[in-house]
Amino acid sequence: MEETVKEIRQNMEQMPAVALRGLSILPGMVIHFDLNRPKSICAVEQAMLGEQLLFVVTQKEEATEEPKQEDLYEVGTVTRVKQMSRMPNGIVRVLVEGTDRARLLSLSEDTKEYLSAFVVRLPQDAADTDERHKEAMTRQLRELYHSYSALHPRSGKILDKKLDSMENLALIIDSITSSLPLPAATKQTILAAETLTERYDFLSDALYNEISVGLIRKELSEKLQKKVNKNQRDYLLREQMNAIREELGENNSISDAELFLEEAKKLKADKEVKDKLEKEISRFKSLSVSSTESAVERTYIETLLEMPWNKVSKENTDMSRAERILEEDHYGLQQVKERILEFLAVRSLKAARAGKTAQTGKAAQTGKAVQTGKTVQTGKAAQTDKAALPESPIICLVGPPGTGKSSIAKSVARALSREYVRISLGGVRDEAEIRGHRRTYVGAMPGRIAAGLKQAGVGNPLMLLDEIDKVSSDYKGDVSSALLEVLDGGQNSRFRDHYIELPINLSKVLFIATANSTAGIPKPLLDRMELIEVSSYTDNEKFHIAKEHLLQRAYENHGLDDGSLIIGDSAVKAVIEGYTREAGVRGLERKIGEICRKAARELLKAEQKKPEQKKTGKTIIKVTVRNLEKYLGKVKYTRNPANVTDEVGIVRGLAWTSVGGDTLQIEVNKMPGKGELRLTGQMGDVMKESAMTGLSYVRSISKAYNIPADTYKKNDFHIHIPEGAVPKDGPSAGITMATALVSALTGIPVKADLAMTGEITLRGRVLPIGGLKEKILAAKIAGIKQVLVPKKNEKDVEEIDAEIKSGVDIIFVEHMEEVLKYALRTE
């Protein structure tokens, strides 16, 4: 007895100990487990400071928080700590490998911070039987485990292959015990058994029990399979086919439902979207492949999978690069370019500050264990709010056709490195085109907005809503009303498409709309957009656009980019002045194309007429002002030049048209009559009222200009504006008609090189008007030297390019007295 005690003391070891709840570790096992009790964590840390040896023992009751020796099983396992890592919420994850069974002798009272145990290792292979018995037990365990593995191929497959190469009975027992889904108490019983025979008996009983349960489950499963309906049987057959294909290595031939599930797992989307997808895929599984409903369900699932829920593209934040791209693609349009660069600058600043905020938040959280998960989550949400990027502006470009509204949107997308999607709204009258069709309808599909996002493949494209002023409404709904939610920055983060049936985030989309006029856009919709007016191009701007963009494009499109056709600068200017009358450059591009086509035909004829020996020379066609008529015919448009001499009753007015500015020569005749006022030249109601207002004002100042009082009773007045086939309207010709009336009544001529524009009141005040850029440009082209403009339009004149104003003396007037002072030739 004394010798046994002495031997135990010699073999006794002291090492840190950890009490496990609901877990038993056997020799040979490599396993990781989590610890959250301070004493257990401290014990692992002490083990890592020494030889990494740690004694692990299972406690009898899981609820015990401070276990003592009587709360622990007598036999545990000596393990070697492989790895220790700290997790959130103060948890430590430990990876250990079991080495030896050991008996717990006592717990040390010297250490309060952690458990320290005195243990003695137990022999793994207690010699309680001969080799023949060991071989018999080994073979029996192998056969039993093979039977278990046949019933549980997933859990037993790995060890089943290794078992045949194992010879050590103790190792076989520990390996099988570790792999079986046994309760911790059963594993502890096998661990605590002193001899191999006892451990064999416990394990074989457990294996027999697991095999019996497996056979019963198999029998129940077979009975259940006989009761399934046709659809379930088809599903099981498909699953079996997939299993066969997997065994044959044909893994690509998986079912559509499984493929959808795999894609749904990879999809970057919120939980709401994934839950919806799983529900629809589950429904798709139960449908017959040949049914119509299956095809509808398949289309819906594919649409949800193709939507870019949380996928966004990386934007360009390089201001200089964005500015260079915008300047390369378009000449002019400075206001549009500046607005886009402002948006990019704000977004870049916010993104930079968001990064700094995130770093600050991480630093603040360092050292604070995740003790209260809710608090940390709230902090992250607060950081997200602070770092939120600015809402994308919703810009509406308003201007005449052909001025580059649609093409500038594509350049903006390139400058910002965003995907480009164009949605044409011209003639759209069904609300479902925007919101989508409900899935109850045959042939239902998502609306144009959702389809555009699907086409882009990202959640932050640039979306061009082209011709937004051309939408209409009928009994199927109002399209403009449906667009209200789309273009509202406060609502479009959860836009609902009737087909998709899930909220779509449109807040990251950069919307750019185009319109020729705001007259057809409802006010609520107009209020949601930032209007940028794209005015008509000047002749000089058209010339630069032709030189920098149109000519080279036309040469390439017609196979003339080898230098065989040269259109001179003077010819381009002549085309602009004599063959086009437009605000944009579409007509100019067509005329250049016409020259290229005729030149290509001429080149081909010249090449065919050349003898074989002279075909090496290159034919070059040069188009100049002199030979331009050969390609485009006679000049179609002529400018209305300023009058050569001062005349009575004739005043040059300025007008705005949809194709730019123009000058109007207003004529007034006084003739014997009864005081009637006749107006001709297709004047609109507003213009007619302006003429009557002007006449009333002139009558009120008759004494100042020595006009007899009975003149208005004995004479009729006729106001005519030439080009009678062209409708005219607006108040801006008011001061022009009043000046012409004064000139006709007094016989004082009006300066020939002067033009004017402005609205008149009964008291002679001059009110502001619009379209000044186009009007002043028209005056400059006509050779007008002086232009009278309302004083209240001074700020608008300041915004006009100096190129347009050069050579024109702009005089600001507030009253008709000033107008008559500058206009009448009294010398």
Side-chain angles (χ1 to χ4, degrees), residues 620-638:
I620 298 176
I621 295 177
K622 294 184 179 179
V623 179
T624 62
V625 176
R626 293 182 180 179
N627 63 354
L628 187 60
E629 286 190 8
K630 175 183 174 183
Y631 298 95
L632 295 180
K634 296 292 183 182
V635 174
K636 294 183 177 180
Y637 304 104
T638 55

Side-chain angles (χ1 to χ4, degrees), residues 737-752:
M737 290 187 283
T739 304
L741 283 167
V742 172
S743 174
L745 286 167
T746 59
I748 302 173
V750 179
K751 295 176 183 178

Side-chain angles (χ1 to χ4, degrees), residues 37 91 109 168 210 232 304 389 557 651 744:
R37 289 189 287 198
I91 294 172
E109 297 181 358
N168 189 311
E210 290 295 323
Q232 291 172 322
L304 291 185
L389 294 175
N557 291 343
V651 185

Side-chain angles (χ1 to χ4, degrees), residues 168-212:
N168 189 311
L169 178 58
L171 179 60
I172 291 173
I173 292 172
D174 290 338
S175 299
I176 294 176
T177 305
S178 301
S179 67
L180 291 177
L182 299 175
T186 305
K187 288 186 178 182
Q188 181 63 36
T189 304
I190 297 172
L191 178 67
E194 294 185 359
T195 64
L196 282 175
T197 304
E198 290 177 357
R199 292 160 66 193
Y200 165 78
D201 290 338
F202 286 127
L203 179 58
S204 58
D205 287 344
L207 270 172
Y208 276 121
N209 184 57
E210 290 295 323
I211 292 169
S212 300

Side-chain angles (χ1 to χ4, degrees), residues 450-464:
L453 281 178
K454 176 182 167 186
Q455 175 192 336
V458 291
N460 62 336
L462 184 146
M463 199 169 284
L464 174 67

Side-chain angles (χ1 to χ4, degrees), residues 107-123:
L107 293 176
S108 174
E109 297 181 358
D110 297 336
T111 55
K112 301 295 183 184
E113 294 83 5
Y114 63 94
L115 293 179
S116 179
F118 292 99
V119 300
V120 61
R121 304 195 190 203
L122 300 176

